[in-house]
Amino acid sequence: MTKAYPLAPIEEAVCAINLPLTVNWDMTVPGAFYERIKADYPFKEVLQGREISLPVKPGSLPELRGIERIKFSSPDRKSVVILEERGMAISRLRPYTSWERLMPQIRAVFNNLSQVVEISSLLRVGLRYINRLEVPHNAGGLEDYFEFRPHMGKIMTHSGPASFMIGVEIPYQDKRDVCRVQLMKTLPNDPHNDAFILDLDYFLARPNALPVEDLDDWIEAAHGRIGQLFEDSLTERMKATFRGD
Amino acid sequence: MYNYNRSSRSNCWSGQWTVFDEPYRDALVEEANTKLRGERSSFEVLSVLAWLRDANEGLKGSKELSIVSSIETTLWSVARMGVVISDPGRVREYLVIYSDMTGMLLPMGEALMAHFRGEAQISLEVFQDPDADDEFLMFTIRMASYPENILDQIDSIVSSFEEPLSVRDGWVLITTDFSPPR
């Protein structure tokens, strides 16, 4: 983010990297990778799940397949690495510390993976900030808190939506990169509040379009642009709620 | 231009907006043809096919690797089906630690709501065991009047989830306190 807020509403900052199928990945990778990161991420947990892929093309059948991920956590459980076949994500959960602390963690984890897997190209890279914002119920309209918000007709505005989800995609670098910005309502921790998720997901939209040696610069640029869009999405009144004024 | 697709996993609010860039697809096919025209050995042809497969995977959109995104989608879906979550903050905190429980909540909530068909209030909360340093998730069933075999009914629902729960680090209890709905 461009500004550091004392009460930043960041629930999770996550950098996800997916490798192409040409990268050789075998069963020894998770063990060898854990050996390298276990000093910082000592807790490990296998996550079982099933993934349903609904068809993009008419006539295709949905696919159901088992997926296995391994979650490695720091002692405070707030810094997390998730590893799956040809993919990994480095997350920092609330309380978010700072970009100056997160970026070196991302770099270190990726370097450790590079020591056990030969990475010659990157299928997809994404940097995502998920913010949860709570404001007192009936303390104002959406326009008081959000520059990025749904625009509705009179009837819908009068009724007030029970929930909403809006999204835009902003292209960068001649559409090589995209930042997906989404805003939606969510369940408030405080029953007297309304709560919203502002999700900023900057990703490489063109697969294999980023040389590995440019990864650090790409992540730094992604962070800067996410920060700009975060600032652009909220009003000063909203920012005052986590500025600590 | 957007293509709203549901090709990503079901438990995902995001990853569904994909740039539908037809010129880019055409460019990919053209590039693959160019590569294939120039390559004659089977290894090189396979390399081109692998490259094309990667490009196709990339176009499908991302996989969900965010912990918070999965939690928020699940809680929202569970609440929307009618389950009462009086303290979402504590449930969130629990799921951050026991991430493998997130995927259990939706099928369990659906099973409970389908079984009781609106005749019971179903609530979800984190239960702190006072006798042990332990906490777990708890679905509580509350009804205006209880059938005699309510515990058998609960057992039958629980039994269908015992196997997937047994391989997870966290736990979800389904129970009743025989109170009326709150």
Side-chain angles (χ1 to χ4, degrees):
Chain A
M1 304 296 196
T2 49
K3 290 182 186 174
Y5 290 99
L7 306 170
I10 300 165
E11 284 292 311
E12 182 181 25
V14 54
C15 179
I17 297 171
N18 296 97
L19 306 176
L21 290 165
T22 46
V23 167
N24 188 24
W25 188 283
D26 61 43
M27 291 168 65
T28 64
V29 170
F33 178 65
Y34 178 57
E35 282 301 312
R36 293 187 161 272
I37 65 163
K38 69 180 180 185
D40 294 325
Y41 304 90
F43 297 109
K44 65 178 191 296
E45 180 186 356
V46 175
L47 306 177
Q48 306 279 355
R50 285 191 174 179
E51 178 179 284
I52 301 171
S53 295
L54 298 180
V56 179
K57 290 181 181 173
S60 307
L61 293 172
E63 280 180 35
L64 180 65
R65 68 181 186 102
I67 54 169
E68 187 173 284
R69 290 173 174 167
I70 308 173
K71 177 183 168 189
F72 306 101
S73 306
S74 61
D76 71 352
R77 308 265 186 174
K78 302 298 184 186
S79 292
V80 173
V81 176
I82 292 179
L83 188 72
E84 64 172 15
E85 189 176 331
R86 296 188 182 84
M88 72 162 190
I90 305 112
S91 288
R92 176 63 202 183
L93 298 155
R94 185 187 282 269
Y96 181 74
T97 48
S98 68
W99 179 243
E100 287 68 30
R101 291 182 70 173
L102 179 59
M103 182 59 197
Q105 289 172 3
I106 294 170
R107 194 180 293 126
V109 171
F110 181 75
N111 286 342
N112 279 313
L113 185 65
S114 304
Q115 297 297 311
V116 294
V117 176
E118 190 179 336
I119 302 174
S120 54
S121 60
L122 304 163
L123 177 63
R124 185 189 188 277
V125 188
L127 182 68
R128 186 174 179 187
Y129 274 75
I130 301 177
N131 304 274
R132 195 163 53 77
L133 303 144
E134 295 208 8
V135 294
H137 185 58
N138 289 336
L142 287 170
E143 66 277 11
D144 293 313
Y145 295 102
F146 297 99
E147 298 290 356
F148 174 57
R149 59 182 184 267
H151 183 78
M152 298 172 284
K154 284 179 186 171
I155 295 172
M156 284 189 282
T157 303
H158 180 71
S159 300
S163 66
F164 65 83
M165 183 176 81
I166 57 169
V168 294
E169 289 187 338
I170 311 294
Y172 290 94
Q173 299 292 119
D174 195 24
K175 294 187 185 176
R176 183 199 67 177
D177 303 341
V178 164
C179 191
R180 177 183 298 145
V181 184
Q182 295 181 106
L183 179 70
M184 65 215 75
K185 284 194 86 168
T186 191
L187 303 178
N189 280 347
D190 183 331
H192 302 103
N193 288 349
D194 287 326
F196 305 89
I197 292 284
L198 177 63
D199 183 356
L200 300 141
D201 186 7
Y202 188 100
F203 59 94
L204 182 69
R206 293 193 174 172
N208 295 322
L210 183 72
V212 179
E213 57 271 23
D214 292 348
L215 180 62
D216 277 11
D217 291 342
W218 186 94
I219 296 173
E220 287 286 0
H223 177 257
R225 286 164 183 158
I226 286 174
Q228 290 168 353
L229 293 180
F230 175 81
E231 294 290 332
D232 203 40
S233 300
L234 305 175
T235 63
E236 288 305 314
R237 182 171 172 184
M238 175 61 93
K239 292 173 197 173
T241 65
F242 47 81
R243 200 180 282 136
D245 295 343
Chain B
M1 188 177 352
Y2 298 119
N3 174 28
Y4 184 74
N5 73 56
R6 295 182 60 78
S7 63
S8 42
R9 67 205 59 230
S10 58
N11 185 19
C12 171
W13 84 55
S14 186
Q16 294 172 348
W17 292 94
T18 302
V19 177
F20 183 73
D21 195 340
E22 211 158 296
Y24 176 51
R25 281 175 197 243
D26 293 343
L28 281 179
V29 172
E30 181 58 36
E31 196 169 337
N33 279 331
T34 306
K35 284 173 185 282
L36 285 169
R37 273 196 292 273
E39 310 297 353
R40 286 292 173 263
S41 75
S42 57
F43 174 77
E44 287 159 339
V45 170
L46 285 173
S47 297
V48 173
L49 290 175
W51 172 85
L52 197 56
R53 198 169 43 186
D54 281 344
N56 185 48
E57 282 294 308
L59 281 172
K60 283 185 187 171
S62 65
K63 293 179 175 180
E64 184 56 80
L65 284 167
S66 157
I67 294 166
V68 167
S69 170
S70 298
I71 293 172
E72 291 299 327
T73 310
T74 300
L75 290 187
W76 185 256
S77 302
V78 168
R80 194 169 183 171
M81 71 174 68
V83 174
V84 177
I85 308 174
S86 54
D87 191 350
R90 281 205 70 195
V91 178
R92 283 186 175 106
E93 286 171 14
Y94 183 89
L95 292 175
V96 162
I97 303 296
Y98 298 101
S99 307
D100 59 350
M101 298 308 297
T102 308
M104 294 299 301
L105 296 184
L106 205 52
M108 293 182 85
E110 280 172 352
L112 289 166
M113 296 303 285
H115 183 87
F116 290 102
R117 295 174 183 273
E119 292 176 3
Q121 180 194 65
I122 315 289
S123 63
L124 173 66
E125 61 202 306
V126 175
F127 180 76
Q128 177 77 49
D129 187 342
D131 299 323
D133 184 21
D134 191 19
E135 60 179 15
F136 46 83
L137 294 168
M138 185 167 75
F139 280 109
T140 305
I141 297 149
R142 296 190 178 96
M143 305 178 78
S145 66
Y146 286 84
E148 277 187 12
N149 67 344
I150 180 69
L151 295 178
D152 292 337
Q153 290 186 38
I154 292 173
D155 281 346
S156 74
I157 298 169
V158 169
S159 64
S160 58
F161 293 102
E162 273 176 353
E163 191 187 328
L165 279 174
S166 68
V167 296
R168 284 165 162 78
D169 288 344
W171 190 253
V172 186
L173 183 70
I174 302 177
T175 188
T176 181
D177 56 8
F178 294 99
S179 298
R182 292 175 182 170

